[in-house]
Amino acid sequence: DVCSSDLMSDNSYISVEDNGKLQMEGTSSNRITVTGESWEKNTGTSSGPGIELNSSVKSSLKYVDFINSNVDRPWDNWIIISRDGSSLDNISMNGGSNGIILENNSSLTNSKISNLERTALHVHSSTVEGNQIFDVAQNITNNAYVHLYSNAILRSNRIYSTTDVETNFALYLDGSNVLVEKNTVGGATGLHGAVGISLRYNQTITIKNNNIGGFLANVAVHGHDSGSHSYVFTDNNFIGTLSGNQRHVVVYNGGDRTQWHIDNIPDYNQWGSSFDDEEVDFSNNYWGTTSTSLIDDAIQDTDDDETFDVDGYVTYTPINSSASTTAPIQSPSNLTKVSSGSDVILTWGAVSSTDLAGYKLYSKDGETYTLVQDITDETLTSYTVSGGDIETSYVITSYDTDADG
């Protein structure tokens, strides 16, 4: 059992094998902090990971903060590899090269991963639920924040960037029986990368009840050879306002890129299956509108113009007339503050979800959030903080009637 701070010295590692167990458990009020410049298991051909869990007994890491700059061998330095079904809950990971590999029914829940130079997660036959993943892949291009392989579940996570970026893509899906549901990928404001979801191959993947927005292409669809595709893309909400040549869906034919692709999504260059004049079924999704002309403008496929020489076209009817209420509720956008005498007036963009129940306003000091007001009138888009300080940082969230957002 472990419960202390500053556990691992530089150039050290933890390996759990046979019937060993690592139990590293803090509490919400007394978290464990693990720091170090470089944690590495030197094998002659590799210098990672920092912690490898590969035992007949499942380990448990809970309420642990990992602060690391393990970047000497960036391509194979993972901070944690769980091969044995261990659970990671309420951890945070800040800094380093690569984050976590999960295998064999391992789980990552209620955690925060940020500020990595490369990939946040590789997920094989494991579950990732209720996490925040942001500001990763900072020192790499044309790569994914999260890689999902066979039997992976990605549920109720937020994956985003806090600064505008045009490189990399959020989700790489490559395997059978992959489930992606109830996530917010990107956001309604800001630019979160080149591509949100990359569908490169024709596999049994289900993508449903997600919010997707804020990328140059929110979804990139490669081919599925001949016949119909095996993946399902339904009841998702495209969020945010497209600007310039941003698109909700962009079609690629295998790994071919036209001049349009190169000009408008230059940092996405991935291989995939080819098309043979097949259609892509994106019916029963919410596009932010029911206007077919506007939806057509939001899709780049073979029907666009003669210079876009790519087989494959997207069909989208029937259209959902409103956002899925099973998906996470959208966050309010465009929060602004102005002084008014001794008060501060906050305004924000309304959330259009039909199950919106209200908003919560917080003041923010570092990583500490203090509730200012629970606004139960969902029609309001402004609030006056009496005696407020214009220098204070404020954050607004929304919540729905089922508290499932």
Side-chain angles (χ1 to χ4, degrees), residues 351-380:
V351 171
S352 60
S353 299
T354 57
D355 62 341
L356 174 68
Y359 302 95
K360 290 187 178 182
L361 281 168
Y362 299 86
S363 61
K364 181 176 183 292
D365 182 10
E367 291 299 312
T368 301
Y369 296 83
T370 302
L371 181 65
V372 174
Q373 184 66 36
D374 183 353
I375 300 171
T376 57
D377 184 349
E378 69 274 16
T379 65
L380 295 180

Side-chain angles (χ1 to χ4, degrees), residues 260-336:
W260 188 96
H261 293 106
I262 295 169
D263 290 344
N264 294 289
I265 317 176
D267 292 311
Y268 178 79
N269 185 13
Q270 293 289 316
W271 186 251
S273 297
S274 299
F275 278 109
D276 186 19
D277 293 322
E278 287 84 19
E279 68 179 49
V280 181
D281 180 10
F282 270 38
S283 60
N284 298 303
N285 292 284
Y286 178 62
W287 300 79
T289 180
T290 57
S291 166
T292 56
S293 62
L294 292 177
I295 296 174
D296 285 337
D297 289 343
I299 296 171
Q300 195 77 12
D301 63 8
T302 194
D303 285 341
D304 280 285
D305 56 61
E306 293 181 359
T307 64
F308 193 80
D309 187 19
V310 170
D311 293 329
Y313 59 97
V314 177
T315 61
Y316 52 81
T317 56
I319 305 164
N320 288 356
S321 60
S322 61
S324 167
T325 57
T326 304
I329 193 166
Q330 297 178 35
S331 298
S333 60
N334 302 320
L335 178 65
T336 62

